[in-house]
Amino acid sequence: MESDTPMDDDEAIARALAGDLTAYEALVARYSTLAHRTAALLGAADETEDVVQEAFVKAYRHLPSFRRGSPFRPWLLRIVANETHNLTRSRGRRNGLIVRLGAVADPVAPDDPEGAAVAEDRRARLLEAVRALPDGERDAVVCRYFLQLTEAETAQVLGRPVGTVKSSTHRGLARLREEVGGELA
């Protein structure tokens, strides 16, 4: 008898390692939106889909080396981040930050055009300020506040010590406060 309860990550990984592609497809479905958001926020721009596809292929290939019992999400996002950084390096230019408006949307009444314009202006200024941050600070701020990862998950995704993540996040937020003022409160 099959359960209606969706399988958790550990079960999906175990089944995928045993050759069950449907189990891996469940992981892809579960983390696809987050992987796309991560790649876009870290600078994949128009190539987000390619980055995410390559990341899921690499994750599948390296699934046997995944440390069982560890959380899958930060492990996968590290692969996405690495693929995004590889892409931006291969472009030979500093990456841009692309965020779908819904990712940081302020709730504004549909019949409040002035409020919508103010919110849009605030988002645009904030995103421009985030784009201008040095890479390490930008990546830490994006992971912590746009992707809502913990410090430990951010450290794992970025391949940096937790202390470095803390200091990069602190410096990045200080620069943002300087740039956009009290709007971050």
Side-chain angles (χ1 to χ4, degrees):
M1 180 168 97
E2 216 171 287
S3 171
D4 288 341
T5 308
M7 70 182 107
D8 65 13
D9 289 356
D10 290 334
E11 181 184 351
I13 290 165
R15 288 176 49 185
L17 286 169
D20 182 353
L21 288 178
T22 305
Y24 191 70
E25 288 171 7
L27 289 169
V28 170
R30 183 173 299 147
Y31 292 107
S32 184
T33 299
L34 182 60
H36 278 84
R37 187 178 315 135
T38 301
L41 286 167
L42 294 177
D46 294 338
E47 296 166 279
T48 295
E49 185 65 36
D50 293 339
V51 165
V52 170
Q53 279 185 347
E54 184 62 26
F56 275 117
V57 167
K58 281 190 177 181
Y60 183 75
R61 267 193 251 133
H62 293 96
L63 205 53
S65 68
F66 174 73
R67 200 172 80 232
R68 300 290 296 276
S70 297
F72 180 75
R73 180 176 81 152
W75 183 78
L76 173 67
L77 294 182
R78 175 144 191 207
I79 294 170
V80 172
N82 287 341
E83 285 303 305
T84 303
H85 289 290
N86 290 342
L87 168 74
T88 58
R89 272 195 305 274
S90 72
R91 282 185 193 154
R93 59 180 164 84
R94 186 177 175 116
N95 59 346
L97 178 63
I98 303 299
V99 178
R100 288 179 172 74
L101 291 178
V104 292
D106 291 329
V108 175
D111 59 347
D112 181 12
E114 182 180 353
V118 168
E120 178 60 30
D121 182 58
R122 191 175 319 136
R123 271 194 301 278
R125 285 188 302 181
L126 176 60
L127 292 176
E128 190 57 39
V130 171
R131 278 189 201 105
L133 290 174
D135 290 346
E137 293 173 17
R138 182 190 61 240
D139 293 349
V141 168
V142 163
C143 286
R144 291 285 290 127
Y145 295 99
F146 287 79
L147 299 174
Q148 299 178 341
L149 299 178
T150 65
E151 286 175 341
E153 290 170 330
T154 299
Q156 187 176 355
V157 167
L158 299 177
R160 298 183 190 140
V162 172
T164 303
V165 166
K166 286 180 180 182
S167 61
S168 295
T169 303
H170 178 77
R171 283 192 312 273
L173 289 176
R175 287 181 206 260
L176 290 173
R177 280 188 196 98
E178 214 174 88
E179 184 68 30
V180 295
E183 294 179 28
L184 293 179

